[in-house]
Amino acid sequence: MIDLRFKQNKELPYGIVVAMVFLSTIGLFVLNSISQHQKGSFLDNPFNKQFIFLIPAFFILLLILFIPRSTIHKYSYPLYFIGIVLVTIPFFGKSHAGTYRWLNIGLPFTLQPSEFAKVFTIIALARYLSDHTLEMRKFNSIVIPVILLMIPTVIVLNQPDLGTAIVMMTPLLPMLYWSGARPFYLFLLFAPTMSILTAFQTLSFTIWALILGVVIFLARPKIFVSVLLFFGNIFLGLLSPFIWNSLTKYQQNRIITFLNPEKDPLGAAYQIIQSKTAIGSGGIFGKGWGEGTQTHLKFLPVQESDFILSVIGEEMGFIMILVVLATIGFLILQIIKRSFLSKDRFSSLALIGIGTIILAHVFVNTAMTVGLIPVKGLPFPFISAGGSFLLSSYLMVGLVLKLSVNYSD
């Protein structure tokens, strides 16, 4: 037993722990600056709330290290169903700002159950794919993983929480590919989205139709299947206007603003414009801690979570943004490396899923900060304020540490 524990400690990826602690420290440092002029109760202060949530976050991480890997595998499906229940319960309570994202547990703060549901869904997907590895070359083998993912995703989408729903879907293709599914099947999952997105412009839709036809021809499925796949995607493209009209007004405004920020500079485009202004005004080395005018004069909205990179850019400069991105990049690469080296199929797939979730958050948050994509309202891992997201981030790191060690238990 002593030798086993020594081996565990020796194989733990301490670089991931160092990266996590560094990012959390930067987050507290920035939130402390933001909180200087905050008024309200103790928990209304972003720094105080984040610091308090770090305590149970560390406890969750340590707890995961003492749970046998076989137990995580065994109870992955029950955890998945718990996640579905958790994201469903808010619909039976009162709405918050017109949404049903939050769960009131009788404490001074609320929890966002979708943050935990996405982790539980990854674990369930990893178990199913690892238990059915030999069947993944067949098309019908990807149906159940798609259903497993879509059930909680559709519920979250109806809360509504488009950003989290998109992030929940991102691990599907990497995990299917990692499990041995044919690339053509993965292309078929991706094709409907491309058909819808390209349909708004005639040239792009024509090019996509040609690519679709060539891929189907090279894959050589049966004639009936080929015709169904091709014209099915064309039909989806024709439905794009109806899909556009199904979006809420604020979602349409965000997309329009992304394409043309000058259209509404004081309305839908305000967040992106102020974010770019904050980053640009910081220059290479920043204005200094607590000296950000965009931040402290409240020109920059949602600065403690969605646009916290803008605060870092304004007060600490472009150099610190590079350091933060390099650190989170190192963390993600270490997770992928551990997945590649893992001798256990379940652990390897779960690590790929967790790495994809973290990468999706980083990409979306960074891209919307500089106006590359519409504003989605997603926090930056370990840095942005948000108790539920912080807990789920440390839960994911705990799973990474546990599943990275190559030993049987």
Side-chain angles (χ1 to χ4, degrees):
M1 178 63 70
I2 295 177
D3 291 340
L4 180 60
R5 291 297 179 188
F6 177 77
K7 185 178 180 181
Q8 279 185 254
N9 293 331
K10 188 177 180 180
E11 292 187 4
L12 280 177
Y14 290 107
I16 292 177
V17 177
V18 172
M20 176 194 70
V21 172
F22 173 76
L23 292 170
S24 297
T25 303
I26 292 295
L28 288 175
F29 191 75
V30 177
L31 290 174
N32 192 23
S33 172
I34 295 173
S35 303
Q36 287 184 77
H37 308 292
Q38 290 276 0
K39 296 180 180 180
S41 66
F42 182 81
L43 287 178
D44 288 335
N45 185 296
F47 173 81
N48 294 338
K49 188 175 180 180
Q50 189 83 340
F51 188 82
I52 290 174
F53 267 98
L54 274 173
I55 299 173
F58 271 112
F59 177 77
I60 289 174
L61 186 151
L62 294 175
L63 180 64
I64 295 296
L65 295 180
F66 288 94
I67 299 177
R69 180 164 27 193
S70 57
T71 301
I72 298 174
H73 180 275
K74 179 180 179 180
Y75 291 100
S76 55
Y77 290 151
L79 285 173
Y80 169 76
F81 288 112
I82 290 173
I84 292 177
V85 172
L86 287 176
V87 294
T88 304
I89 292 177
F91 287 98
F92 298 97
K94 295 181 180 180
S95 65
H96 295 265
T99 66
Y100 295 90
R101 304 178 188 179
W102 308 97
L103 185 61
N104 192 335
I105 56 176
L107 295 175
F109 51 83
T110 56
L111 292 177
Q112 189 173 358
S114 58
E115 295 294 347
F116 305 99
K118 66 186 178 187
V119 182
F120 299 157
T121 301
I122 289 173
I123 300 301
L125 274 175
R127 175 175 175 178
Y128 179 85
L129 293 173
S130 62
D131 291 348
H132 298 81
T133 299
L134 298 179
E135 305 170 16
M136 294 312 299
R137 302 297 293 178
K138 303 176 182 178
F139 180 74
N140 57 5
S141 62
I142 70 174
V143 175
I144 293 181
V146 171
I147 294 174
L148 282 173
L149 184 69
M150 290 308 297
I151 292 175
T153 300
V154 169
I155 296 174
V156 171
L157 187 62
N158 282 278
Q159 288 182 338
D161 189 353
L162 179 61
T164 302
I166 291 174
V167 168
M168 290 181 73
M169 294 175 62
T170 54
L172 180 62
L173 293 182
M175 291 181 72
L176 284 174
Y177 177 78
W178 207 253
S179 66
R182 286 185 60 192
F184 178 61
Y185 298 155
L186 304 184
F187 175 81
L188 294 182
L189 292 177
F190 180 70
T193 302
M194 286 299 298
S195 299
I196 293 171
L197 293 178
T198 58
F200 292 97
Q201 211 276 336
T202 304
L203 178 61
S204 63
F205 189 63
T206 302
I207 295 174
W208 167 246
L210 290 173
I211 295 174
L212 181 66
V214 169
V215 172
I216 293 175
F217 174 78
L218 294 176
R220 298 187 180 279
K222 295 180 180 180
I223 296 296
F224 174 76
V225 176
S226 300
V227 173
L228 181 64
L229 290 174
F230 183 80
F231 287 101
N233 278 278
I234 298 299
F235 179 70
L236 274 176
L238 297 177
L239 289 178
S240 295
F242 299 98
I243 297 174
W244 171 259
N245 291 330
S246 69
L247 296 176
T248 61
K249 190 66 177 177
Y250 86 92
Q251 290 172 340
Q252 292 179 351
N253 286 338
R254 284 185 172 183
I255 295 174
I256 293 173
T257 300
F258 161 65
L259 298 174
N260 185 15
E262 289 76 21
K263 185 177 178 63
D264 188 12
L266 297 179
Y270 180 79
Q271 293 174 310
I272 294 177
I273 293 173
Q274 295 303 322
S275 175
K276 290 180 178 180
T277 302
I279 294 175
S281 65
I284 300 296
F285 300 105
K287 298 177 178 178
W289 183 86
E291 299 297 328
T293 53
Q294 293 291 114
T295 299
H296 294 287
L297 294 178
K298 305 303 178 184
F299 290 121
L300 186 62
V302 206
Q303 54 192 253
E304 72 278 1
S305 56
D306 298 350
F307 290 94
I308 197 164
L309 276 185
S310 304
V311 180
I312 294 175
E314 184 179 29
E315 297 195 349
M316 303 182 191
F318 184 67
I319 291 294
M320 182 54 71
I321 291 182
L322 287 181
V323 171
V324 168
L325 293 179
T327 304
I328 197 72
F330 168 79
L331 187 148
I332 294 170
L333 286 175
Q334 286 297 309
I335 294 174
I336 296 174
K337 176 184 175 181
R338 293 285 169 167
S339 174
F340 183 78
L341 296 176
S342 177
K343 299 176 183 178
D344 173 49
R345 196 68 176 167
F346 168 74
S347 299
S348 179
L349 286 163
L351 290 171
I352 280 293
I354 292 172
T356 305
I357 287 287
I358 296 175
L359 177 61
H361 269 276
V362 173
F363 173 79
V364 173
N365 183 275
T366 305
M368 74 177 184
T369 296
V370 294
L372 292 179
I373 63 172
V375 177
K376 292 295 182 185
L378 286 176
F380 196 95
F382 308 106
I383 294 181
S384 293
S388 300
F389 183 59
L390 186 66
L391 293 176
S392 67
S393 296
Y394 273 70
L395 171 61
M396 287 189 286
V397 171
L399 289 170
V400 167
L401 297 178
K402 184 64 181 181
L403 300 178
S404 294
V405 180
N406 283 314
Y407 70 97
S408 58
D409 56 5

